[in-house]
């Protein structure tokens, strides 16, 4: 009887397959902005920073090439990232009664899989009492072919 139990236990221990942990399905979702300080479309905002809080841990990469602030600031902004928070900080004074836009490009990726945020995400605030419509109509043409140019950005700057 004792030998039968021993043989039974040995046979059970050899049935299981040893495999590594899979960690679950691959994360394919891009990080989402949960909150910003100040909130987008704020008016009379004259602090020298904007904070973004995401739904997951993020990394801030290639900021100088990806992040577009319009109108441009006098000095280069400082880009900080920690966990789920990203901060853009600047030291120069913002122009009075001016609407600013911050377009993040694909500078923010999730920390695990590197999925970038949607490049169309932007943030708007005004140093004055109202938000400019930020709208102008027209057609952008390629200078060499004179054909319409899809997916391009146009920034207007005072001369």
């Amino acid at each position: 009887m004792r030998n039968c139990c021993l043989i039974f236990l040995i046979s059970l221990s050899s049935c299981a397959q040893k495999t590594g942990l899979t960690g679950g399905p691959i994360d394919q979702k891009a990080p989402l902005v949960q909150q910003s300080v100040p909130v987008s479309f704020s008016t009379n905002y004259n602090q020298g920073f904007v904070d973004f809080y995401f739904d997951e841990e993020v990394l801030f990469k290639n900021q100088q090439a990806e992040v577009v602030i319009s109108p441009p600031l006098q000095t280069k902004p400082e880009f900080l990232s920690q966990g789920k928070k990203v901060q853009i900080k600047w030291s120069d004074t913002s122009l009075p009664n001016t609407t600013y836009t911050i377009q993040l490009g694909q500078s923010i990726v999730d920390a695990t899989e590197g999925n970038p945020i949607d490049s169309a995400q932007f943030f708007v605030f005004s140093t004055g009492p109202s938000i400019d419509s930020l709208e102008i109509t027209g057609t952008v043409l390629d200078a060499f072919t004179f054909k319409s140019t899809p997916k391009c950005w146009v920034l207007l700057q005072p001369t």
Side-chain angles (χ1 to χ4, degrees):
M1 176 76 170
R2 187 181 261 182
N3 288 338
C4 288
C5 288
L6 185 61
I7 292 171
F8 178 71
L9 288 175
I10 290 172
S11 66
L12 280 180
S13 67
S14 64
C15 291
Q17 293 181 349
K18 295 180 182 178
T19 61
L21 299 175
T22 62
I26 294 175
D27 177 14
Q28 296 179 339
K29 294 186 321 180
L32 296 173
V33 176
Q34 296 291 304
Q35 176 185 356
S36 65
V37 175
V39 296
S40 194
F41 295 97
S42 290
T43 56
N44 296 311
Y45 185 71
N46 290 300
Q47 304 300 311
F49 70 92
V50 175
D51 291 336
F52 297 97
Y53 296 90
F54 291 87
D55 64 340
E56 61 183 307
E57 303 266 328
V58 296
L59 300 173
F60 208 2
K61 296 180 159 191
N62 204 17
Q63 304 95 333
Q64 297 299 333
E66 290 286 337
V67 176
V68 177
I69 301 174
S70 180
L73 300 168
Q74 299 270 335
T75 60
K76 287 185 179 180
E78 187 177 352
F79 301 101
L80 306 167
S81 172
Q82 183 176 11
K84 296 181 179 183
K85 178 184 173 184
V86 166
Q87 183 178 68
I88 300 174
K89 200 160 96 171
W90 56 92
S91 58
D92 58 339
T93 306
S94 306
L95 298 172
N97 297 316
T98 302
T99 298
Y100 285 86
T101 61
I102 300 174
Q103 202 267 340
L104 298 171
Q106 292 189 331
S107 62
I108 298 178
V109 299
D110 70 33
T112 54
E113 299 295 332
N115 300 318
I117 63 168
D118 178 7
S119 63
Q121 287 195 9
F122 63 94
F123 177 83
V124 178
F125 70 94
S126 177
T127 57
S130 63
I131 299 284
D132 188 337
S133 69
L134 302 174
E135 190 174 305
I136 191 167
T137 58
T139 304
V140 177
L141 301 176
D142 183 293
F144 298 107
T145 64
F146 296 105
K147 291 183 181 176
S148 178
T149 307
K151 294 186 179 181
C152 85
W153 288 87
V154 176
L155 301 175
L156 303 176
Q157 303 297 327
T159 56

